[in-house]
Amino acid sequence: MLLNQRLREGQREYLLLALHDPLPEGCQALDAGRGWTLERRLRQLAQDESNLRTLSRLVQAHGPLGRHASRTAEDVVKQAATLLSFGHLRLALAPPPGRYGAPAFPEEVPKQEPPAAKEEDVTLRLQVVDDVSDGPISGIKLRIQFADKTEKQATTDAEGNIKLEKVPKGSFDVLSLVDGATLDNSVALVRTGGPWSEQKPAKSGAKSKASSQRVLVKVTEHRVIDDETLDSVAEMFDLTSDDLAQFNWGTTDAAEVQQRLEVSVGCTKKDAGGKYVFSRDDDPGILYIPRPVALTGLSVDPSHILRVKRARRPQPFRFST
């Protein structure tokens, strides 16, 4: 093989081989052509000074021109064409320069991963307080979903606090759990009180509600219509009749519930089984429905205060006479 005897054309590279040199691996033998077609091709290549010097060295080594003979670029092209036409030299297309002479499977250099930055622990803080007295509200059960879709359940302590350490950064959503809610133990959200640092101190002499368990709910009113029943209204809101009775009147006893339907809702009609059914003429004809409180897009970084008030005072129970 004639070392370093190469012609370059853009991204292509051609090897010039002697007659008996083996074809290097990965190279493709080319038909150089003859006559004026070959000369025209070599003339184009010789416009590059590096290619012209390569052809000149080949002609000196193989052609009739002596080492010190005067020769023009045209002479070099004609002599090189003659050597190729008569087979004294062969032309081959080399692989791309990046592959030629390189291993079939280049050794991979292991990536140097940057040292992992130590993440600071993020702590979520919530507090539930009475909007009037600033007293803490204990026993509020909340379901908290973080930005990575993981969830935790937590309950406010005696100081109305929830503190969760090492939680994902970003935002979180809050949903109150309404199991066991009654009108007597329910509180409704008034507003969020801003970052933890903005909390006002409890007023002097304010009675703390920390000793009583509370449930955070959103209370909606349902006006009954003809032929509705306690069961059908409960099903409408994905509750059971016991859930609805417990929330409105604090009891699930069948006899007491029937009395409440008569006295508190104003029912006057009964079905074939002797149970009260609703009518649009019932007065006041209102059932109270507990719904979860949902807060979305809160940021983990600042702490949050949820300010609440009593949802609604239950109506006093009056037995019919």
Side-chain angles (χ1 to χ4, degrees):
M1 177 178 178
L2 299 173
L3 297 178
N4 299 321
Q5 304 304 302
R6 303 187 179 204
L7 303 175
R8 292 176 174 82
E9 183 183 35
Q11 297 297 317
R12 291 188 174 188
E13 190 173 66
Y14 303 98
L15 271 64
L16 289 161
L17 308 174
L19 178 60
H20 300 293
D21 284 336
L23 185 68
E25 183 179 354
C27 294
Q28 178 184 351
L30 296 177
D31 182 4
R34 295 180 179 275
W36 66 271
T37 302
L38 177 57
E39 288 185 13
R40 183 181 64 181
R41 185 65 176 149
L42 291 177
R43 195 172 290 114
Q44 291 174 343
L45 292 170
Q47 292 178 6
D48 182 283
E49 288 294 327
S50 176
N51 289 338
L52 180 60
R53 289 194 296 270
T54 297
L55 291 174
S56 296
R57 288 195 296 269
L58 289 170
V59 167
Q60 285 182 355
H62 294 83
L65 294 179
R67 180 174 299 273
H68 303 291
S70 174
R71 58 189 183 278
T72 64
E74 185 65 17
D75 292 332
V76 170
V77 167
K78 288 182 179 294
Q79 289 293 327
T82 300
L83 292 171
L84 286 165
S85 296
F86 284 92
H88 295 288
L89 295 175
R90 292 183 301 149
L91 196 62
L93 178 64
R99 288 178 51 201
Y100 184 73
F105 297 95
E107 189 174 334
E108 293 186 4
V109 178
K111 294 181 179 179
Q112 297 293 328
E113 297 291 344
K118 184 179 180 180
E119 292 191 2
E120 297 180 1
D121 293 341
V122 181
T123 301
L124 181 149
R125 293 181 176 86
L126 285 173
Q127 186 178 46
V128 183
V129 300
D130 184 271
D131 190 47
V132 176
S133 69
D134 283 337
I137 307 296
S138 69
I140 299 290
K141 296 180 180 179
L142 301 175
R143 188 173 76 188
I144 300 171
Q145 184 180 82
F146 298 98
D148 64 356
K149 303 305 180 184
T150 57
E151 291 186 0
K152 288 188 177 181
Q153 290 189 14
T155 303
T156 56
D157 61 17
E159 299 301 321
N161 294 332
I162 288 176
K163 181 179 179 181
L164 299 176
E165 297 181 342
K166 297 181 180 180
V167 301
K169 292 183 178 180
S171 62
F172 68 98
D173 302 333
V174 174
L175 186 72
S176 65
L177 301 178
V178 299
D179 296 341
T182 68
L183 281 174
D184 187 46
N185 69 9
S186 294
V187 292
L189 180 68
V190 177
R191 58 192 172 92
T192 55
W196 192 273
S197 60
E198 294 180 9
Q199 180 188 6
K200 297 178 181 179
K203 294 180 179 178
S204 176
K207 182 180 179 181
S208 170
K209 292 185 174 59
S211 59
S212 302
Q213 181 171 330
R214 292 288 185 263
V215 182
L216 180 61
V217 299
K218 178 180 180 181
V219 180
T220 61
E221 294 184 357
H222 175 73
R223 183 67 172 84
V224 298
I225 60 175
D226 293 342
D227 299 324
E228 281 186 333
T229 64
L230 194 64
D231 287 329
S232 68
V233 173
E235 184 178 0
M236 186 187 310
F237 293 98
D238 197 26
L239 298 169
T240 67
S241 58
D242 281 351
D243 292 334
L244 205 50
Q246 182 70 36
F247 183 72
N248 280 267
W249 309 301
T251 182
T252 58
D253 180 80
E256 290 187 15
V257 170
Q258 289 300 305
Q259 289 177 325
R260 286 290 193 171
L261 289 173
E262 179 185 8
V263 175
S264 299
V265 184
C267 293
T268 58
K269 295 182 179 180
K270 293 184 177 181
D271 61 14
K275 293 183 178 181
Y276 280 112
V277 294
F278 298 133
S279 165
R280 65 178 66 253
D281 296 325
D282 294 344
D283 185 21
I286 299 294
L287 286 175
Y288 297 105
I289 313 298
R291 308 306 295 158
V293 171
L295 299 171
T296 60
L298 300 178
S299 175
V300 169
D301 295 333
S303 302
H304 300 274
I305 297 176
L306 308 184
R307 310 192 70 84
V308 301
K309 67 177 182 179
R310 190 161 188 169
R312 188 180 296 271
R313 292 189 179 275
Q315 296 175 341
F317 180 71
R318 298 189 305 274
F319 285 96
S320 58
T321 57

